[in-house]
Amino acid sequence: MRVLVSGGAGYIGSHTVVHLVAAGHDVVIVDSFANSKPAVIGRLEALTGRHLPVHAFDLTDRDKTERLFGDESFDAVVHFAGLKAVGESARIPLDYYENNLDATFSLVRAMRRHGVKLLVFSSSATVYGEQAPLPYREDYAPLQSSSPYGRTKVMIEQVLTDVAAADPSMRFALLRYFNPVGTHPSGTIGEDPQDIPNNLMPFLAQVAVGRRDKLIVFGDDYPTDDGTCERDYIHVEDLAAGHVAALGRLTTTNSPVSVWNLGTGRGTSVLELVHAFERAVGRELPYEIGPRRPGDLPRSWADPGRAHAELGWSTTKSVDDMCADTWRWQSANPMGYEG
Ligand code: NAD
């Protein structure tokens, strides 16, 4: 299939591009580079051995989006483009609602106008909110989230569900990611936060490479085994493979909307991840226990059973793989793509 990958220069998008090409798809990337570097494209072309057409514009621009769909033809869209920092979304909510919703509106409008039926959307475990019982299952309702970022995901899931109800020939996959970490095993592409990392793994990697003094662990008095928060870390390579499987399933399913959790089904605590990263690096890393971070839930993990059954997909990589690959990328690229 000819697949348009929105946000294909970003962390998860770039890894998925490699998997889509390996699965035989033709990939076209659209990205504003608001949170990524053009240098990733050369690395992707080296990894895939393909020329990858790139359209550099902001998808909230409806005219440009419409023109792209007029000039080229696509069979499917994999939609990663969006702003994703939870804390920032509370400071500039309007930017988050505008960017994430408008980009989706303009993509889906262009898809409908040009007869493109298949869309895979990056949702998040954050839509389960604070009340859902563990493990999180796709049939849980009502969806809610404690941040403007998370609410953009809840809203987009609802919008896509409404669009599919009005036009049941559409096929939408809503993929609820748990905590993506790790990098391509080559160490040539990876996560390259533009600012202070918001997430544990890239922060740890920057401590290990000497860009940050120490890690602050946000609280060790949670009701968990070691007192630190537990998350369902999923290797980005497994996550990328999940997109290829979901796209394939959209071509055969009769359901206009499919929701799949992409997680391992296991929780790993902050301290367990720190110690796994220390094993990958081969030395101890400086960390300090600090106060809790507002909004953090003690524990979160997926029930990935539906994705196993319906996609024939499951995760293959361990927490040690996630750390070893991240360290390979970070040590070879201490300053990210521009290092
Ligand atoms: P990322 O920031 O690395 O990638 C997103 C890409 O989209 C960037 O390259 C950015 O430049 C681009 N972009 C943003 N707004 C755009 C717009 N209006 N037009 C064109 N391009 C635009 O983020 P990521 O970690 O790769 O996440 C990809 C998707 O997965 C996002 O939608 C994110 O919300 C979702 N997600 C991420 C995580 C995570 O922990 N990384 C977890 C759950 C869901």
Side-chain angles (χ1 to χ4, degrees), residues 49-281:
R50 293 281 180 83
H51 167 65
L52 298 168
V54 178
H55 298 269
F57 68 85
D58 190 320
L59 283 162
T60 62
D61 186 327
R62 276 197 199 172
D63 293 339
K64 286 187 180 160
T65 308
E66 171 58 29
R67 221 171 297 139
L68 172 61
F69 278 73
D71 291 347
E72 305 220 21
S73 67
F74 304 111
D75 302 300
V77 176
V78 184
H79 177 32
F80 296 99
L83 300 175
K84 64 162 181 177
V86 171
E88 184 183 63
S89 78
R91 289 194 297 280
I92 49 169
L94 203 50
D95 292 19
Y96 270 68
Y97 287 116
E98 213 166 82
N99 187 73
N100 293 3
L101 293 168
D102 279 353
T104 306
F105 295 157
S106 91
L107 258 181
V108 177
R109 272 191 190 283
M111 286 176 65
R112 287 177 50 69
R113 215 170 281 126
H114 295 274
V116 182
K117 302 288 183 190
L118 314 181
L119 175 85
V120 178
F121 172 64
S122 304
S123 189
S124 164
T126 186
V127 302
Y128 290 110
E130 297 178 0
Q131 306 299 329
L134 287 166
Y136 295 157
R137 291 171 49 104
E138 292 90 343
D139 52 12
Y140 176 79
L143 299 182
Q144 53 185 312
S145 183
S146 57
S147 71
Y149 161 71
R151 285 190 282 272
T152 70
K153 297 298 185 193
V154 174
M155 288 177 188
I156 293 169
E157 285 205 10
Q158 187 62 60
V159 168
L160 294 176
T161 303
D162 290 343
V163 171
D167 178 358
S169 72
M170 302 303 284
R171 294 289 178 272
F172 294 143
L174 312 179
L175 302 186
R176 295 182 182 158
Y177 311 159
F178 280 69
N179 290 70
V181 296
T183 67
H184 189 275
S186 66
T188 60
I189 59 170
E191 187 170 12
D192 181 19
Q194 309 292 293
D195 212 334
I196 300 174
N198 294 299
N199 295 334
L200 176 58
M201 185 72 111
F203 201 104
L204 261 177
Q206 291 195 3
V207 170
V209 86
R211 281 173 67 180
R212 315 252 160 228
D213 291 345
K214 62 180 173 214
L215 172 77
I216 306 291
V217 175
F218 298 127
D220 69 349
D221 58 351
Y222 286 95
T224 59
D225 285 350
D226 65 20
T228 64
C229 292
E230 292 175 12
R231 293 288 177 272
D232 185 341
Y233 295 100
I234 173 169
H235 197 298
V236 70
E237 287 283 292
D238 284 329
L239 187 61
H243 288 71
V244 176
L247 185 58
R249 182 74 181 130
L250 287 188
T251 62
T252 59
T253 182
N254 290 323
S255 306
V257 179
S258 305
V259 186
W260 289 298
N261 281 340
L262 296 182
T264 66
R266 286 183 303 277
T268 299
S269 76
V270 173
L271 289 181
E272 283 170 336
L273 194 75
V274 169
H275 297 317
F277 207 83
E278 289 177 331
R279 283 196 295 279
V281 176

